[in-house]
Amino acid sequence: MKLIFEIGAEGRGLSLLPECDVPETKLPEGLARESKLHLPQVSENEISRHYTQLAERTHGVNNGFYPLGSCTMKYNPKVNEDAAAQKGFRRVHPLQNESSVQGSLEVMKLASDMLGEICGMDAFTLQPAAGAHGEFTGLLLIKSYHTDRGDDKRTKIIVPDSAHGTNPASAAMCGYDVVSIPSAEDGCVDLEALKAAVGDDTAGLMLTNPNTVGLFDKNILEITRIVHEAGGLCYYDGANLNAVMGQARPGDMGFDCVHVNLHKTFSTPHGGGGPGSGPVGCKDFLAPFLPGYQVVGDAVTGFHYTMADKSMGAVKQFNGNFLVIVRALTYILTLGKEGIPEASANAVLNANYMRVKLAEKYDMAYDATCMHEFVMDLGEMKHKTGVSALDVAKALLDYGFHPPTMYFPLIVHEALMVEPCETEPREVMDDFINALLEIADKSESDPEMLHTAPHHTVIGRPDEVGAARNPVVKYNWED
Ligand SMILES: *Cc1c(COP(=O)(O)O)cnc(C)c1O
């Protein structure tokens, strides 16, 4: 496929501006560009075809199954897009005065309150732009709390070795030393290792529950108690909230603050890099340190911005990615108090359905009832047949499926991590299961065919390391 710079021709572009009808003024010396400005010059139908072709080469939840574990790639109802496309939301300016944006302020207030209810938290900031950004913000809350009490010896954040890579990265970004603790045999937190790690230098613990292997840690109350007893705080990575929303609340598990990934659990399309949103919630005692503006008030007295009295400042401009919040609120309101727990229950049911069926030919990393996702361990298959998790993932492309997450979590070496989500019907899951079972048979009868898969896609096996490490993102013009 040609790049947009390689199609069209000089002079074919659209004129957006009318003829100039005022005297032209020369730019001051030194400000005018010296080289030619290269812009694609294409007609409307060339643009339209170009982007349609790109879209056709892209796999999204609208094309088919996308069981990317740890990412919650659910189908997002289009009504959320309708809500976000309303002029009154789309066209507001963040500097408009409060009285002219009461509706938008009400959206933010309602979204904060409902996320608070779902998570068991007292206050929320909507500013952070993603999960990782939420982690950074939440850890700054923890840091502000310790600093405010004059406790500056707490320099360590404890993170289990199964954690998402953003957890230790966020802790390091906040200037903390990361203490990694090993998981127990069953994939959950090793209580003895945790007890040995905590001390008066512990600032906090970061944990996701269910964890990144899809298991709910039954010792969660004991875990948060151990950390609190040592004087640390507990941060809940809410990326896996899709498994527990409406069933269990991080606040009731003993967590002090949490982020939620609106682009995972609360139905904003993602995968192309955003925009996302990672609101951070906290218990009352951390609320004075929240960043940005909170909205207070009600429909009778009016809604207003407030700034927390010991606020850490802003972590993003204005109100974060506001339209993502509109989508999330629409989703929460359309599902309601009955629909939210039903969604998480179905997400868990779907994952267990697939896990049990696939166990016929695939080893599971943990032999336990899972939550919304499960991890297959292809170590034995690779040892016996030479077919790796990568080969299986590539082979799935020929069946028209997006592969599951590969080689994550790091504690399982040949991992494939499947998360079907609540929005997939049984027939789709059955097709995917059958494809994987067929691939398992081929691993014995024709491993070579799997080593070279995919055979029917536009691109076969690109140099993935090269593409990630040395991406060419700038077109090289000849003149
Ligand atoms: C996705 C994810 C994150 C990071 O969230 P982003 O929105 O991608 O920054 C953190 N932790 C877990 C467990 C995740 O799955």
Side-chain angles (χ1 to χ4, degrees):
M1 187 178 158
K2 284 185 173 167
L3 300 177
I4 193 149
F5 301 107
E6 295 162 347
I7 55 176
E10 188 86 28
R12 202 178 286 168
L14 307 170
S15 284
L16 293 177
L17 298 176
E19 289 272 318
C20 181
D21 59 0
V22 292
E24 282 186 32
T25 309
K26 269 214 166 319
L27 277 177
E29 201 67 33
L31 287 186
R33 76 167 34 249
E34 281 161 11
S35 56
K36 197 173 154 199
L37 174 63
H38 289 296
L39 290 175
Q41 303 214 31
V42 286
S43 61
E44 182 171 330
N45 62 354
E46 283 171 313
I47 284 194
S48 175
R49 285 173 191 165
H50 179 74
Y51 284 106
T52 304
Q53 274 180 34
L54 277 179
E56 279 166 357
R57 290 179 162 221
T58 309
H59 186 97
V61 276
N62 290 316
N63 302 87
F65 195 37
Y66 205 139
L68 204 57
S70 205
C71 289
T72 308
M73 304 297 287
K74 63 170 85 180
Y75 175 81
N76 301 298
K78 295 290 174 271
V79 65
N80 303 341
E81 299 304 311
D82 290 347
Q86 299 281 328
K87 240 191 202 168
F89 293 138
R90 190 162 42 90
R91 289 259 176 103
V92 289
H93 191 283
L95 290 178
Q96 252 172 272
N97 96 25
E98 285 176 352
S99 67
S100 69
V101 287
Q102 285 292 299
S104 296
L105 296 190
E106 185 167 3
V107 164
M108 289 186 269
K109 175 77 166 65
L110 260 181
S112 304
D113 288 354
M114 293 194 169
L115 290 173
E117 170 82 27
I118 291 168
C119 295
M121 292 288 152
D122 301 312
F124 254 93
T125 170
L126 303 175
Q127 259 194 346
H133 196 192
E135 291 166 20
F136 179 74
T137 307
L139 289 173
L140 284 184
L141 280 179
I142 292 177
K143 194 166 208 172
S144 305
Y145 165 78
H146 291 309
T147 308
D148 190 57
R149 288 163 44 250
D151 186 349
D152 48 19
K153 63 188 179 305
R154 297 188 180 269
T155 54
K156 294 186 175 151
I157 291 285
I158 300 170
V159 182
D161 63 358
S162 64
H164 194 270
T166 51
N167 289 189
S170 302
M173 288 282 287
C174 287
Y176 282 120
D177 297 328
V178 179
V179 181
S180 174
I181 54 166
S183 302
E185 274 288 291
D186 63 1
C188 293
V189 170
D190 182 333
L191 288 181
E192 293 314 311
L194 178 63
K195 281 181 196 153
V198 295
D200 59 7
D201 57 356
T202 301
L205 165 82
M206 296 181 88
L207 200 67
T208 175
N209 193 28
N211 60 17
T212 52
V213 296
L215 302 175
F216 189 92
D217 202 316
K218 295 192 189 75
N219 297 322
I220 193 62
L221 293 174
E222 177 70 3
I223 292 167
T224 51
R225 193 186 58 78
I226 292 170
V227 176
H228 283 150
E229 254 169 28
L233 297 185
C234 297
Y235 181 88
Y236 182 88
D237 172 342
N240 294 330
L241 200 66
N242 207 53
V244 291
M245 58 174 178
Q247 316 276 354
R249 311 193 309 167
D252 301 336
M253 297 178 208
F255 288 94
D256 304 293
C257 52
V258 47
H259 82 257
V260 289
N261 305 58
L262 297 188
H263 47 287
K264 292 181 179 171
T265 313
F266 295 101
S267 184
T268 275
H270 72 296
S277 177
V280 168
C282 63
K283 293 282 178 68
D284 266 335
F285 73 99
L286 289 175
F289 309 107
L290 280 173
Y293 294 100
Q294 277 68 52
V295 177
V296 292
D298 56 52
V300 179
T301 58
F303 295 97
H304 307 282
Y305 289 119
T306 58
M307 178 71 99
D309 51 336
K310 294 177 187 169
S311 174
M312 65 176 75
V315 294
K316 196 177 186 319
Q317 308 90 317
F318 303 112
N319 304 311
N321 285 328
F322 173 65
L323 294 178
V324 179
I325 291 150
V326 174
R327 289 183 181 90
L329 181 64
T330 310
Y331 180 73
I332 293 172
L333 291 174
T334 43
L335 263 67
K337 223 174 176 129
E338 301 77 32
I340 296 231
E342 205 179 316
S344 51
N346 283 333
V348 172
L349 181 64
N350 280 358
N352 280 290
Y353 175 75
M354 296 190 70
R355 179 182 63 82
V356 171
K357 291 244 167 181
L358 284 168
E360 191 191 312
K361 294 200 175 150
Y362 287 88
D363 292 336
M364 295 295 148
Y366 301 96
D367 184 20
T369 303
C370 65
M371 297 297 288
H372 61 310
E373 60 193 1
F374 58 93
V375 182
M376 309 199 293
D377 181 351
L378 278 67
E380 189 62 26
M381 180 186 278
K382 184 167 180 203
H383 181 68
K384 271 188 8 214
T385 68
V387 170
S388 64
L390 178 75
D391 293 335
V392 172
K394 294 289 180 191
L396 277 168
L397 293 170
D398 279 335
Y399 290 85
F401 294 117
H402 194 287
T405 295
M406 316 180 296
Y407 297 100
F408 179 82
L410 304 177
I411 52 175
V412 179
H413 294 304
E414 286 292 321
L416 282 182
M417 185 189 203
V418 183
E419 180 181 0
C421 295
E422 69 279 11
T423 51
E424 289 305 329
R426 184 169 164 179
E427 304 84 77
V428 172
M429 291 189 286
D430 283 339
D431 287 348
F432 183 80
I433 290 164
N434 290 337
L436 270 178
L437 296 179
E438 207 171 291
I439 292 169
D441 290 341
K442 282 201 186 125
S443 72
E444 287 172 12
S445 63
D446 192 0
E448 193 45 39
M449 192 265 213
L450 298 178
H451 292 321
T452 50
H455 300 280
H456 306 298
T457 52
V458 186
I459 295 173
R461 293 207 180 197
D463 173 358
E464 289 174 13
V465 174
R469 295 280 184 268
N470 307 304
V472 181
V473 291
K474 185 166 173 282
Y475 188 70
N476 243 342
W477 291 93
E478 266 150 30
D479 56 1

